[in-house]
Amino acid sequence: MSLGRARAVALVGLTGVPVDVEVDARSGLPGMSLIGMPDRALGEAVERVRSALGNSGCDLPARRLTINLSPAALPKQGSGFDLAIALAVLAALGIVPREGVAATVFVGELALDGRLRPTAGVLPAVLAARDAGVHTVVVPTANSAEAALVTGIRSLGMSSLREVAIHAGARISVKPVEPLLQSEQSFESDHTPELSDLADVIGQSDAIDGLITAAAGGHHLFLLGPPGSGKTMLAKRLPGILPELSTEEAMQVACVRSLSQAVNLTTIDLRPPFEAPHHTATAAALVGGGSVIRPGAVTRASGGVLFLDEAPEFHASVLDCLREPLETGSVTILRATTRATFPARFQLVMAANPCPCGNYGMPRSECSCAPMARRRYLARLSGPLLDRVDIRLTVARATTSRGPMANDAPVTSAQVRDRVIIARGAARERLRQTPWTINADVAGAYLTGSNLRLPRSVTKPIDMGVERGNLSLRGYDRVLRVAWTIADLDGSTSPSLEHVGRALFLRQGVPT
Ligand SMILES: [Zn+2]
């Protein structure tokens, strides 16, 4: 019996677990079998590895090869195990010295010609290897910049199985190959809004105010307005006025990007992410899924903003999928053998036209929708979803002039971000004895029952709203949360009557 060993990393959600790949080569009916809970894509590794070895000058002898991935109980998915399997085979056959590869982690999918393909999930895999005390990891050249973002581990980028085998000590002739690189399209260009500044937004002072309040309190936001009123323009500017991510948060965002597609990340971006799935998106596109489980838009937005433009156009069952992440800050995807949990803590921004044609209630425009169609349109956004949205704003079509405030210099995103950071600091300090850090998360009962309870002279407008039936109790709590954020932005220790009035105004958009 001759045994070869190499190491790989299995990713369960964003968590990587080192896996030992063992290959036993013995005489018998020639063949190769894979055991240890592989999924289908991984099951196909046998064929890829066989071809890649043959095309790298390492034809397999007539031996029986058994490949075992352990721990067996851990589900393993995807094609990133190819390289480790190939190296363990080479070690079992004595083509590379066994001790040369047994302690090294190999990550990468093989093309049939033996070249290494760009592979998804290299960043979380290298992090897991480092945390498990591994000294060296080999990755495809196309992912080498991404692997190099992890400090404390030596990462080697290589182009082909032949190159890896020679590096490990195989005596086969060198035949250099062109490395396989991923397409030029970078992740950033697709998923980060162009660097746009709040100062570019003209004539929308109420909407900007709502946006700043949403940023300061972490409140979910609903924007109602006709096409062309700048709802998308406003939403795209939210990440720019949010505080930068901590290193830890930014690393998580980068790991999600790495796992979403085979990209070669070159930096850890501290800007909060922005995701805007189209309204035709499926539930799997939104929350994640697929035969090899990939994170969805809610996870790619985690730490940043999820923007649903034309929210009523989304399929009701798709919108329903948002409930779990909104409640728990994470999303769990179940498969027969796998259960993957991904982070999904995002700030939700929904935008909608007032009716299917978009003109209802707008000055100088005529709505062509039937009254029934109009009522049904916004009713598509379910109560439980809207219940979590503290700020609801009506946005009018912007006028071309900057209006009566034209003499004021427009505020820039950087100026606003500084205010947001100070306001968030005040909230964190006030909430330090509680499980919450931002106003949006605070339970209503805490605001009305603790020492944060406001005097009746301040809550008068909303008390009256409840008495008259214009405001639900949930709506009452929402106004209170927003009032605290406005007070934080104002530098006040507690909301005034004026702050409560302002908060009430910021939920005028949609009745509750
Ligand atoms: Zn209409």
Side-chain angles (χ1 to χ4, degrees):
M1 185 183 84
S2 48
L3 213 56
R5 278 203 181 87
R7 304 188 82 189
V9 174
L11 293 170
V12 183
L14 278 189
T15 313
V17 182
V19 166
D20 285 314
V21 181
E22 295 172 308
V23 174
D24 175 31
R26 58 178 65 214
S27 49
L29 205 58
M32 216 193 251
S33 57
L34 185 60
I35 56 178
M37 264 184 107
D39 77 340
R40 215 189 64 196
L42 180 51
E44 290 160 358
V46 167
E47 294 311 316
R48 282 194 302 271
V49 168
R50 193 199 305 275
S51 295
L53 282 167
N55 289 322
S56 303
C58 312
D59 278 324
L60 294 177
R63 306 280 288 275
R64 171 101 212 127
L65 297 173
T66 305
I67 304 156
N68 181 40
L69 305 178
S70 70
L74 187 74
K76 299 156 199 85
Q77 56 161 4
S79 49
F81 295 85
D82 292 3
L83 186 60
I85 293 172
L87 266 293
V89 167
L90 291 174
L93 297 174
I95 296 173
V96 300
R98 281 174 199 148
E99 62 281 9
V101 296
T104 302
V105 163
F106 297 91
V107 179
E109 177 185 334
L110 285 168
L112 296 184
D113 63 4
R115 286 191 287 175
L116 276 164
R117 288 184 178 284
T119 303
V122 165
L123 184 61
V126 175
L127 277 172
R130 195 257 330 255
D131 293 345
V134 172
H135 296 292
T136 307
V137 57
V138 177
V139 301
T141 304
N143 299 109
S144 55
E146 186 176 320
L149 293 172
V150 183
T151 54
I153 186 168
R154 187 168 72 123
S155 58
L156 304 171
M158 300 211 184
S159 307
S160 67
L161 174 56
R162 178 190 291 263
E163 190 184 344
V164 181
I166 290 166
H167 182 83
R171 293 205 191 132
I172 42 181
S173 61
V174 187
K175 196 175 106 192
V177 291
E178 282 284 305
L180 282 170
L181 298 174
Q182 73 273 35
S183 60
E184 287 299 305
Q185 169 201 37
S186 81
F187 199 95
E188 277 73 14
S189 67
D190 263 11
H191 294 268
T192 311
E194 64 273 24
L195 281 174
S196 36
D197 203 283
L198 207 55
D200 312 334
V201 183
I202 290 166
Q204 295 283 21
S205 57
D206 281 337
I208 290 175
D209 217 37
L211 195 72
I212 296 172
T213 311
H219 304 283
H220 301 310
L221 177 66
F222 182 82
L223 298 168
L224 185 78
S229 55
K231 303 187 293 289
T232 304
M233 186 162 90
L234 285 161
K236 280 188 171 175
R237 280 156 177 78
L238 180 53
I241 60 172
L242 290 173
E244 281 192 340
L245 302 175
S246 68
T247 316
E248 201 178 319
E249 291 165 334
M251 192 54 109
Q252 187 182 72
V253 170
C255 282
V256 170
R257 286 178 180 168
S258 167
L259 200 61
S260 300
Q261 61 186 90
V263 284
N264 195 10
L265 298 172
T266 50
T267 52
I268 299 293
D269 194 348
L270 294 180
R271 284 174 301 173
F274 179 86
E275 277 291 319
H278 191 255
H279 61 74
T280 54
T282 61
L286 202 62
V287 296
S291 58
V292 174
I293 300 176
R294 295 274 179 246
V298 296
T299 296
R300 292 195 302 275
S302 193
V305 176
L306 181 72
F307 176 49
L308 304 185
D309 196 10
E310 301 187 45
E313 304 281 349
F314 280 76
H315 201 281
S317 63
V318 173
L319 289 176
D320 224 35
C321 293
L322 290 174
R323 278 208 229 173
E324 184 199 349
L326 284 173
E327 266 164 39
T328 64
S330 65
V331 66
T332 300
I333 300 160
L334 294 170
R335 288 285 178 278
T337 57
T338 316
R339 175 198 178 92
T341 300
F342 292 107
R345 190 172 294 283
F346 51 83
Q347 195 168 352
L348 179 66
V349 180
M350 292 193 289
N353 294 333
C355 65
C357 87
N359 287 332
Y360 181 68
M362 295 301 147
R364 297 182 300 281
S365 307
E366 213 161 306
C367 169
S368 60
C369 308
M372 193 58 154
R374 206 164 59 212
R375 275 196 296 275
R376 262 200 226 120
Y377 190 65
L378 289 180
R380 285 188 208 165
L381 297 174
S382 72
L385 188 58
L386 275 179
D387 257 347
R388 303 199 163 266
V389 179
D390 289 342
I391 301 180
R392 298 124 186 247
L393 270 178
T394 303
V395 188
R397 275 199 188 100
T399 48
T400 43
S401 78
R402 296 224 343 267
M405 307 291 276
N407 291 334
D408 295 349
V411 285
T412 65
S413 290
Q415 289 167 332
V416 171
R417 189 168 54 232
D418 290 344
R419 282 182 65 202
V420 166
I421 290 169
I422 292 170
R424 284 195 173 211
R428 199 179 309 114
E429 175 62 21
R430 178 174 63 248
L431 297 169
R432 67 186 185 284
Q433 310 281 12
T434 74
W436 311 295
T437 55
I438 50 174
N439 290 328
D441 289 344
V442 178
Y446 184 76
L447 290 179
T448 51
S450 69
N451 58 350
L452 298 188
R453 189 190 176 95
L454 301 176
R456 255 191 92 84
S457 58
V458 170
T459 56
K460 200 171 158 198
I462 46 179
D463 291 336
M464 272 164 56
V466 171
E467 280 157 24
R468 289 184 189 152
N470 299 334
L471 191 64
S472 68
L473 285 177
R474 281 168 181 278
Y476 187 94
D477 293 344
R478 278 197 292 271
V479 173
L480 276 184
R481 280 196 286 265
V482 175
W484 275 99
T485 301
I486 295 170
D488 289 336
L489 277 166
D490 224 14
S492 310
T493 49
S494 99
S496 65
L497 179 65
E498 193 197 335
H499 294 143
V500 171
R502 184 76 200 154
L504 198 54
F505 174 78
L506 288 181
R507 58 167 294 286
Q508 49 153 359
V510 183
T512 44

